[in-house]
Amino acid sequence: EAGVAQSPRYKIIEKRQSVAFWCNPISGHATLYWYQQILGQGPKLLIQFQNNGVVDDSQLPKDRFSAERLKGVDSTLKIQPAKLEDSAVYLCASSPGDSNQPQHFGDGTRLSIL
Amino acid sequence: TQLLEQSPQFLSIQEGENLTVYCNSSSVFSSLQWYRQEPGEGPVLLVTVVTGGEVKKLKRLTFQFGDARKDSSLHITAAQPGDTGLYLCAGETPGGSYIPTFGRGTSLIVHP
């Protein structure tokens, strides 16, 4: 089966600019996750969708970050405006359901803020 | 504070050596998962442990879930350069929706 697809793979922007990331989960997977992984740390969950509804976004900095999954399939994560501390790898993952289900990760988008 | 504490943070060993990495918490987990992540890639699931005291083996890797379901360990026998990577544990707390929590990871380098 095709894996989780993410684009772009790399993005370099200046602080205060905007950026958007796209994720296409594995076909049929109801749950989609966005993580932020800062160098040397484990992934931190930003937002979790179950179909097109938000399950948890408690760690999403809502003043600058937004995410949507309008049709319950693809998702986009946006940062506006970006700060230096947003430099990280943004990982998307999907799973069939919402409990004890293994997550399948994409290869991430590496974001560098100048 | 991290809900899941992993140790050691870094490990650099020679090929053929054995090693153990740990994942500890004060919280009870209904399941724990171990992932390996290589540079430039996303984490890949190695194993899920569900039952307290459970031991699972994957070739030279042995995973154990603590009896109280608060901790887990990963033991690698006769490490090889291909084992190099970031080892992450992730857990789900009992009840409610599954909100995954990851540890900071153990970065392993195996030198030939």
Side-chain angles (χ1 to χ4, degrees):
Chain A
E1 63 180 1
V4 175
Q6 290 189 246
S7 67
R9 284 300 312 272
Y10 305 94
K11 191 72 177 179
I12 301 173
I13 62 172
E14 295 185 347
K15 60 183 179 183
R16 292 187 289 273
Q17 287 188 324
S18 302
V19 64
F21 313 125
W22 173 82
C23 174
N24 185 13
I26 292 174
S27 178
H29 279 194
T31 306
L32 185 147
Y33 311 84
W34 280 103
Y35 291 90
Q36 180 192 61
Q37 187 174 24
I38 293 173
L39 187 64
Q41 298 184 19
K44 181 182 85 169
L45 181 69
L46 293 175
I47 189 167
Q48 177 181 347
F49 292 95
Q50 179 79 7
N51 297 309
N52 60 351
V54 175
V55 174
D56 184 82
D57 63 356
S58 58
Q59 299 190 95
L60 186 74
K62 299 180 185 65
D63 58 333
R64 298 183 301 106
F65 286 63
S66 64
E68 59 183 14
R69 194 186 184 198
L70 292 175
K71 297 182 179 179
V73 181
D74 293 5
S75 178
T76 55
L77 175 70
K78 296 180 182 178
I79 307 175
Q80 179 179 7
K83 291 185 176 181
L84 293 175
E85 61 259 35
D86 299 331
S87 293
V89 175
Y90 290 85
L91 293 163
C92 178
S94 69
S95 69
D98 65 350
S99 180
N100 277 343
Q101 297 284 329
Q103 296 180 57
H104 300 261
F105 283 83
D107 286 337
T109 295
R110 181 175 296 277
L111 175 65
S112 297
I113 311 295
L114 304 179
Chain B
T1 56
Q2 288 280 119
L3 187 59
L4 285 167
E5 297 286 345
Q6 289 191 244
S7 62
Q9 189 174 353
F10 301 101
L11 199 52
S12 178
I13 62 172
Q14 294 296 126
E15 183 176 1
E17 293 184 18
N18 301 331
L19 66 117
T20 303
V21 298
Y22 301 92
C23 176
N24 296 300
S25 178
S26 58
S27 300
V28 174
F29 288 91
S30 56
S31 69
L32 271 176
Q33 297 172 339
W34 284 93
Y35 292 81
R36 186 173 77 196
Q37 185 178 23
E38 298 188 29
E41 300 182 8
V44 175
L45 180 70
L46 297 174
V47 78
T48 299
V49 286
V50 179
T51 306
E54 181 178 7
V55 177
K56 283 191 173 179
K57 293 193 175 186
L58 185 65
K59 296 183 181 179
R60 294 175 293 99
L61 278 60
T62 302
F63 304 85
Q64 185 161 6
F65 200 12
D67 291 339
R69 291 184 290 137
K70 292 182 178 182
D71 54 86
S72 182
S73 64
L74 158 59
H75 182 79
I76 301 179
T77 303
Q80 298 178 1
D83 296 326
T84 293
L86 180 68
Y87 289 82
L88 295 158
C89 65
E92 170 194 346
T93 51
S97 297
Y98 172 49
I99 309 299
T101 300
F102 279 81
R104 293 173 68 102
T106 293
S107 181
L108 171 65
I109 298 176
V110 182
H111 300 277

